[in-house]
Amino acid sequence: MTKANTKARKISTTPTVGFVSLGCPKAASDAEQILTRLRAEGYEITGGYQDADLVVVNTCGFIDAAVEESLDAIGEALTENGRVIVTGCLGAKKDASGAGIVSGVHPKVLAVTGPHATQEVMEAVHAHLPPVHDPFIDLVPPQGIRLTPEHYAYLKISEGCNHRCTFCIIPSLRGDLVSRPIGDVLKEAEILVNAGVKELLVISQDTSAYGVDVKYRTGFSGGRPVKTRLYDLCNELGKLGVWVRLHYVYPYPNK
């Protein structure tokens, strides 16, 4: 699609968002949250550029190759569509002068956010492509929109990391540890299992640290008290009758 065609495009009756998602399972989980919100508000989703009224690119910024791939994907989306919103880890990455890398390389993007920024992405989409309410297309399945095959799903339990390892930039991109309420996690897991998921892939930046930030606070699931702690979470997930796989589990002091 030429730039001239891009400028001439008129927004369709049903607003359509192109979506490109790069990076790790945590980025995919972020993408699922954004896609669910988009579909809930009546947006159509497409994997291409030409049929889209704008494009969201979910980026990775962990290693140099990922940065290059993300910048190339943004550039391609700008060339093919012209209206691009950037989110993900690269959106939070700065250059030596402290300026945002994405805006420095691609100043024509409509908006840039960091990771786990569903609300900020939706606000940017609303600003450039207002939703059209239609109760027939606003409906989404209870489990939301998933990027994984039907038999497994990612279950994110926390965001960020409290460690400051010299070889890792994740805390500077995703911030300190923020554990999700255990009741919310278990409710999401139950919905996924009821939807036919056979394997839950538990993900976070530092899975063993789940609950450290809230001092293993007691939450509630089905009216029962459950501590916000990895052991208790695994115990509850084990009752759902599906495979549970833990990712990013490292030794952690039990304090």
Side-chain angles (χ1 to χ4, degrees), residues 133-152:
H133 177 71
D134 185 332
F136 292 102
I137 64 173
D138 286 354
L139 300 177
V140 295
Q143 70 272 22
I145 305 299
R146 296 284 159 179
L147 300 177
T148 53
E150 293 182 358
H151 65 282
Y152 74 85

Side-chain angles (χ1 to χ4, degrees), residues 68-142:
E68 183 177 354
E69 181 185 19
S70 293
L71 291 174
D72 288 346
I74 296 167
E76 180 180 351
L78 283 169
T79 299
E80 297 295 329
N81 184 277
R83 292 162 53 83
V84 179
I85 293 170
V86 176
T87 187
C89 283
L90 186 58
K93 198 167 187 178
K94 309 294 183 182
D95 60 20
S97 66
I101 289 178
V102 172
S103 297
V105 177
H106 297 297
K108 293 184 178 181
V109 296
L110 299 177
V112 180
T113 79
H116 55 92
T118 300
Q119 185 57 37
E120 291 86 344
V121 172
M122 294 305 301
E123 289 172 359
V125 172
H126 292 160
H128 297 282
L129 186 65
V132 177
H133 177 71
D134 185 332
F136 292 102
I137 64 173
D138 286 354
L139 300 177
V140 295

